[in-house]
Amino acid sequence: MQTLSTPNTSTTTSPQPTFDTTIKRRKTRPVKVGNITIGGGYPVVVQSMINEDTLDIEGSVAAIRRLHEVGCEIVRVTVPSIAHAVALAKIKQQLIQTYQDVPIVADVHHNGMKIALEVAKHIEKVRINPGLYVFEKPNTNRTEYTQAEFAEIGEKIRETLEPLVVSLRDQGKAMRIGVNHGSLAERMLFTYGDTPEGMVESALEFVRICESLDFRNLVISMKASRVPVMVAAYRLLAKRMDELGMDYPLHLGVTEAGDGDYGRIKSTAGIATLLADGIGDTIRVSLTEAPENEIPVCYSILQALGLRKTMVEYVACPSCGRTLFNLEEVLHKVREATKHLTGLDIAVMGCIVNGPGEMADADYGYVGKNPGYISLYRGREEIKKVPEDKGVEELINLIKADGRWVDP
């Protein structure tokens, strides 16, 4: 018969383990992108990307402004040609003249050296894709890459990358080395396979070139459309950088996440998992929707993890047979009345069983203790009991009395 070990009856009390509920972020260097800083202990930065053709100057300015006004802190713009790079200079000028100087990232892909050099004159950050920056035409008959061939292409990459690195370095601007799982260079695929290892080595090759030129204003991303690949790639990159003494900030995202609920859940699964590990300094949720729809998801992820507080945190029970009012309806009313506030925790609880205990950390509580009445709490203290139809009004009055109310 299986037995349990004899319990320790000693009168000596051993210390209880303590668990830190705050996320300890990986230490990274600060990288300036205009008036925003990524890494260095600064708040996790929210990014998105406009859909407009950059040649449409008026449309692009309006799209950047829409994003910035809903909380996007850095905006990415695609730049597939020299003409687009010139247009981006005009977009930047028009933003400064008609709105404000929004930090912009130029997205440069295939054989983009000339484009990147032009656009680097006008904006704060250039994003390049290592798999496409020096395009290697696939050879269907190839069975391997020799060490000499690998090194030869590496030297070509260096020659092509150096002018951009020097330009950004001398201007005090930034670069994102943005690796995509779906566009790894052929020699990386042959050497490492279609793996997180190949993604990491692709990024590190570019990082080493930058470091050799004394340029370290770098942000790195490891995007994939499959969450397990994305998570593994970022974790491996963080591990390798720690081993190499590198402290570059990381840009998190699940690329091509789709739309609707699943797109949001998929993005959250990847981004939040890494942020909870302390990995990540800037994020972008990629939805097949209007870019403005991405920003609330970003802030919700950051708020849920306690990394940024940009809105009211609502604590509410799921309702059950003990609930003394229509909890869904009341939560909606409370939210509509208070959603413009920031930095508050408000609990809406349906009964006394869960109420005071589950909402102990909330600033204010709205609890159904007796039929037809609402008990209002400040923290753990019950302040007053009011008729149910006066509950929301009296909650607002309580917040006002504490000097924590602002008009919408």
Side-chain angles (χ1 to χ4, degrees), residues 63-341:
I64 293 168
R65 180 168 178 168
R66 283 197 304 272
L67 271 174
H68 194 259
E69 287 176 338
V70 296
C72 181
E73 294 162 304
I74 297 176
V75 180
R76 184 153 51 108
V77 176
T78 187
V79 190
S81 73
I82 291 290
H84 288 82
V86 173
L88 187 51
K90 296 176 182 177
I91 289 167
K92 186 70 172 175
Q93 291 168 2
Q94 195 169 127
L95 278 168
I96 294 169
Q97 292 167 0
T98 64
Y99 178 56
Q100 59 179 282
D101 193 0
V102 179
I104 292 178
V105 182
D107 207 30
V108 179
H109 282 281
H110 295 87
N111 293 326
M113 183 182 72
K114 290 182 180 179
I115 300 167
L117 282 171
E118 175 60 32
V119 84
K121 301 173 188 175
H122 312 297
I123 49 80
E124 295 83 359
K125 183 180 175 187
V126 176
R127 181 266 172 138
I128 59 170
N129 181 338
L132 301 175
Y133 190 71
V134 175
F135 186 65
E136 303 169 37
K137 188 174 181 180
N139 181 346
T140 55
N141 297 319
R142 184 183 295 280
T143 58
E144 66 174 352
Y145 268 90
T146 66
Q147 190 171 359
E149 287 175 316
F150 198 98
E152 181 183 353
I153 295 175
E155 185 56 35
K156 184 180 178 183
I157 288 172
R158 180 185 175 85
E159 291 172 4
T160 309
L161 188 62
E162 183 171 349
L164 175 61
V165 170
V166 170
S167 173
L168 293 172
R169 181 195 68 196
D170 293 350
Q171 295 182 81
K173 295 181 176 180
M175 176 192 291
R176 170 152 72 100
I177 298 172
V179 177
N180 273 10
H181 180 237
S183 57
L184 285 177
E186 185 182 65
R187 70 198 173 105
M188 290 295 174
L189 290 172
F190 268 93
T191 306
Y192 300 101
D194 188 12
T195 64
E197 288 83 357
M199 297 172 68
V200 169
E201 289 305 318
S202 182
L204 290 178
E205 178 179 48
F206 275 63
V207 171
R208 291 186 181 101
I209 294 170
C210 293
E211 288 188 335
S212 72
L213 296 166
D214 196 28
F215 178 62
R216 291 175 172 79
N217 287 342
L218 302 173
V219 179
I220 308 172
S221 63
M222 296 271 114
K223 292 191 176 182
S225 59
R226 291 178 52 219
V227 171
V229 174
M230 172 261 196
V231 170
Y234 278 106
R235 284 175 171 164
L236 179 59
L237 176 63
K239 179 175 180 291
R240 292 283 286 121
M241 286 204 297
D242 288 346
E243 293 168 351
L244 294 167
M246 297 175 178
D247 59 354
Y248 300 108
L250 299 181
H251 171 124
L252 304 185
V254 178
T255 190
E256 299 148 0
D259 65 350
D261 288 346
Y262 187 65
R264 287 160 171 78
I265 292 168
K266 188 174 180 181
S267 288
T268 302
I271 293 170
T273 297
L274 290 163
L275 289 174
D277 285 348
I279 296 171
D281 303 277
T282 180
I283 65 174
R284 190 241 170 142
V285 168
S286 299
L287 297 178
T288 312
E289 299 180 19
E292 301 93 280
N293 293 348
E294 298 175 358
I295 308 307
V297 188
C298 291
Y299 281 117
S300 293
I301 292 170
L302 297 175
Q303 173 117 352
L305 291 169
L307 291 170
R308 291 189 75 164
K309 197 146 191 176
T310 57
M311 53 191 175
V312 174
E313 181 84 12
Y314 295 98
V315 179
C317 63
S319 187
C320 69
R322 294 189 302 269
T323 303
L324 297 176
F325 54 77
N326 185 325
L327 198 140
E328 184 177 355
E329 180 182 304
V330 170
L331 176 60
H332 177 74
K333 289 179 179 178
V334 171
R335 189 192 302 275
E336 285 302 303
T338 61
K339 65 183 181 181
H340 64 286
L341 303 174

Side-chain angles (χ1 to χ4, degrees), residues 326-386:
N326 185 325
L327 198 140
E328 184 177 355
E329 180 182 304
V330 170
L331 176 60
H332 177 74
K333 289 179 179 178
V334 171
R335 189 192 302 275
E336 285 302 303
T338 61
K339 65 183 181 181
H340 64 286
L341 303 174
T342 57
L344 292 183
D345 291 349
I346 298 177
V348 180
M349 310 302 285
C351 74
I352 192 61
V353 173
N354 288 335
E358 297 296 334
M359 69 177 199
D361 293 332
D363 297 300
Y364 299 99
Y366 185 109
V367 182
K369 288 179 68 172
N370 303 106
Y373 286 87
I374 299 299
S375 290
L376 296 177
Y377 283 72
R378 180 191 292 117
R380 296 173 180 264
E381 179 187 3
E382 184 175 355
I383 302 301
K384 55 184 172 181
K385 189 178 294 181
V386 300

Side-chain angles (χ1 to χ4, degrees), residues 364 376-378 383 394-402:
Y364 299 99
L376 296 177
Y377 283 72
R378 180 191 292 117
I383 302 301
E394 290 298 324
L395 172 63
I396 292 171
N397 288 338
L398 179 57
I399 298 171
K400 286 180 176 179
D402 291 344

